[in-house]
Amino acid sequence: MVDLAFAPDIEAPAAARAELGNLSLGFDCDEGQAVMLLASELVTNCVRHAGVGRRQRIRLRALVTDNFVRIEVIDSGAGMRVVMRPGDDYGGWGLRLVDRIADRWGVVRDAGTHVWFEIDRPGGAAAARTRRSAGVEPVPLLAAD
Protein backbone atom coordinates (compact mmCIF):
# COMPACT_ATOMS: atom_id res chain seq x y z
CA MET A 1 0.00 0.00 0.00
CA VAL A 2 1.16 3.52 -0.83
CA ASP A 3 0.14 6.37 1.47
CA LEU A 4 0.65 9.97 0.24
CA ALA A 5 -0.26 13.37 1.69
CA PHE A 6 -0.94 16.67 -0.08
CA ALA A 7 -1.56 20.24 1.00
CA PRO A 8 -5.17 21.24 0.22
CA ASP A 9 -4.30 23.70 -2.55
CA ILE A 10 -4.82 23.98 -6.29
CA GLU A 11 -1.61 22.05 -6.97
CA ALA A 12 -2.78 18.94 -5.09
CA PRO A 13 -4.62 17.20 -7.99
CA ALA A 14 -1.62 17.51 -10.34
CA ALA A 15 0.71 16.39 -7.55
CA ALA A 16 -1.48 13.32 -6.94
CA ARG A 17 -1.42 12.42 -10.66
CA ALA A 18 2.35 12.88 -10.81
CA GLU A 19 2.98 10.78 -7.69
CA LEU A 20 0.78 7.95 -8.95
CA GLY A 21 2.48 8.12 -12.35
CA ASN A 22 5.93 7.93 -10.76
CA LEU A 23 5.19 4.98 -8.47
CA SER A 24 5.50 2.21 -11.07
CA LEU A 25 2.59 0.31 -9.56
CA GLY A 26 2.38 -2.05 -12.53
CA PHE A 27 -0.58 -0.43 -14.28
CA ASP A 28 -1.15 -0.95 -17.97
CA CYS A 29 -1.66 2.30 -19.91
CA ASP A 30 -5.47 2.41 -19.79
CA GLU A 31 -5.54 1.36 -16.15
CA GLY A 32 -2.98 3.99 -15.18
CA GLN A 33 -4.83 6.76 -17.01
CA ALA A 34 -8.13 5.83 -15.35
CA VAL A 35 -6.56 5.63 -11.90
CA MET A 36 -4.80 8.99 -12.27
CA LEU A 37 -7.94 10.70 -13.64
CA LEU A 38 -10.25 9.44 -10.91
CA ALA A 39 -7.75 10.02 -8.10
CA SER A 40 -7.19 13.60 -9.23
CA GLU A 41 -10.96 14.15 -9.40
CA LEU A 42 -11.33 13.00 -5.80
CA VAL A 43 -8.43 15.17 -4.65
CA THR A 44 -9.99 18.11 -6.51
CA ASN A 45 -13.25 17.53 -4.63
CA CYS A 46 -11.34 17.73 -1.35
CA VAL A 47 -9.67 20.99 -2.36
CA ARG A 48 -12.87 22.60 -3.65
CA HIS A 49 -15.59 21.25 -1.39
CA ALA A 50 -14.39 19.54 1.79
CA GLY A 51 -13.30 22.52 3.87
CA VAL A 52 -9.86 21.09 4.61
CA GLY A 53 -7.80 23.56 6.65
CA ARG A 54 -4.51 24.95 5.35
CA ARG A 55 -2.52 23.01 7.94
CA GLN A 56 -4.36 19.77 7.31
CA ARG A 57 -3.49 17.27 4.58
CA ILE A 58 -5.42 15.32 1.99
CA ARG A 59 -4.32 11.69 2.09
CA LEU A 60 -4.32 9.34 -0.86
CA ARG A 61 -3.86 5.61 -0.38
CA ALA A 62 -3.25 3.23 -3.26
CA LEU A 63 -3.44 -0.55 -3.10
CA VAL A 64 -2.62 -2.64 -6.17
CA THR A 65 -3.36 -6.37 -6.23
CA ASP A 66 -3.51 -8.92 -9.03
CA ASN A 67 -7.31 -8.44 -9.11
CA PHE A 68 -7.90 -4.72 -8.62
CA VAL A 69 -6.52 -1.26 -7.93
CA ARG A 70 -8.04 0.56 -4.94
CA ILE A 71 -7.62 4.28 -4.35
CA GLU A 72 -8.87 6.00 -1.21
CA VAL A 73 -8.83 9.78 -0.75
CA ILE A 74 -9.23 10.94 2.82
CA ASP A 75 -9.90 14.41 4.14
CA SER A 76 -10.56 15.71 7.62
CA GLY A 77 -12.66 18.63 6.44
CA ALA A 78 -16.19 19.61 7.36
CA GLY A 79 -17.73 17.10 4.96
CA MET A 80 -20.04 17.29 1.98
CA ARG A 81 -23.73 16.74 1.29
CA VAL A 82 -25.49 14.83 -1.48
CA VAL A 83 -26.40 16.80 -4.60
CA MET A 84 -27.35 15.82 -8.14
CA ARG A 85 -26.50 19.00 -10.12
CA PRO A 86 -23.58 18.28 -12.41
CA GLY A 87 -22.35 20.83 -14.85
CA ASP A 88 -23.39 24.06 -13.18
CA ASP A 89 -20.89 26.64 -11.94
CA TYR A 90 -20.32 24.43 -8.95
CA GLY A 91 -18.87 21.52 -10.91
CA GLY A 92 -20.31 18.10 -10.21
CA TRP A 93 -18.73 15.93 -12.92
CA GLY A 94 -15.93 14.30 -10.89
CA LEU A 95 -18.00 11.71 -9.07
CA ARG A 96 -20.00 11.01 -12.22
CA LEU A 97 -16.69 10.03 -13.83
CA VAL A 98 -15.88 7.84 -10.84
CA ASP A 99 -19.30 6.20 -11.13
CA ARG A 100 -18.88 5.53 -14.86
CA ILE A 101 -15.26 4.36 -14.88
CA ALA A 102 -14.71 2.60 -11.55
CA ASP A 103 -16.01 -0.92 -10.99
CA ARG A 104 -16.92 -0.11 -7.39
CA TRP A 105 -16.83 3.00 -5.23
CA GLY A 106 -18.18 4.36 -2.01
CA VAL A 107 -17.97 6.87 0.80
CA VAL A 108 -17.12 6.33 4.45
CA ARG A 109 -17.81 9.17 6.85
CA ASP A 110 -16.16 9.21 10.23
CA ALA A 111 -13.64 11.85 11.34
CA GLY A 112 -13.77 13.36 7.85
CA THR A 113 -14.65 11.77 4.54
CA HIS A 114 -13.06 8.76 2.84
CA VAL A 115 -14.02 8.33 -0.82
CA TRP A 116 -12.71 5.18 -2.45
CA PHE A 117 -12.89 3.43 -5.80
CA GLU A 118 -11.71 0.16 -7.27
CA ILE A 119 -10.86 -0.71 -10.84
CA ASP A 120 -10.65 -4.39 -11.75
CA ARG A 121 -7.41 -5.43 -13.38
CA PRO A 122 -7.54 -7.26 -16.72
CA GLY A 123 -7.40 -11.00 -16.21
CA GLY A 124 -8.05 -10.79 -12.46
CA ALA A 125 -10.82 -12.84 -10.88
CA ALA A 126 -12.73 -9.67 -10.01
CA ALA A 127 -12.81 -8.56 -13.67
CA ALA A 128 -15.58 -11.05 -14.41
CA ARG A 129 -17.97 -9.43 -11.92
CA THR A 130 -19.97 -6.31 -12.48
CA ARG A 131 -20.94 -3.74 -9.89
CA ARG A 132 -24.55 -4.95 -9.76
CA SER A 133 -23.77 -8.67 -9.65
CA ALA A 134 -21.28 -8.06 -6.86
CA GLY A 135 -24.08 -6.49 -4.82
CA VAL A 136 -22.49 -3.05 -4.65
CA GLU A 137 -24.84 -0.17 -5.33
CA PRO A 138 -23.62 3.20 -6.58
CA VAL A 139 -23.20 5.89 -3.95
CA PRO A 140 -25.02 9.22 -4.48
CA LEU A 141 -23.04 12.17 -5.77
CA LEU A 142 -21.57 14.60 -3.26
CA ALA A 143 -21.00 18.33 -3.15
CA ALA A 144 -20.25 20.92 -0.50
CA ASP A 145 -22.88 22.29 1.85
Side-chain angles (χ1 to χ4, degrees), residues 64-125:
V64 180
T65 73
D66 290 340
N67 292 325
F68 62 88
V69 176
R70 180 183 174 100
I71 300 292
E72 183 175 1
V73 176
I74 305 157
D75 72 72
S76 56
M80 298 187 283
R81 66 179 170 79
V82 175
V83 70
M84 300 289 282
R85 294 182 319 217
D88 60 15
D89 291 339
Y90 203 61
W93 293 105
L95 288 175
R96 285 197 185 262
L97 288 172
V98 172
D99 188 55
R100 291 208 178 235
I101 295 171
D103 292 294
R104 290 165 297 286
W105 71 283
V107 178
V108 177
R109 296 172 198 241
D110 50 24
T113 303
H114 302 225
V115 182
W116 61 270
F117 68 85
E118 293 178 349
I119 295 177
D120 293 334
R121 302 202 65 197

Side-chain angles (χ1 to χ4, degrees), residues 37-79:
L37 170 66
L38 299 184
S40 67
E41 289 292 339
L42 295 183
V43 171
T44 298
N45 283 351
C46 291
V47 171
R48 292 186 67 199
H49 306 299
V52 178
R54 288 187 335 218
R55 294 185 181 173
Q56 296 172 313
R57 294 292 174 257
I58 297 167
R59 291 182 52 209
L60 186 149
R61 293 181 184 158
L63 174 66
V64 180
T65 73
D66 290 340
N67 292 325
F68 62 88
V69 176
R70 180 183 174 100
I71 300 292
E72 183 175 1
V73 176
I74 305 157
D75 72 72
S76 56

Side-chain angles (χ1 to χ4, degrees), residues 123-138:
R129 295 185 309 215
T130 66
R131 175 183 9 233
R132 302 264 187 252
S133 67
V136 178
E137 291 298 318

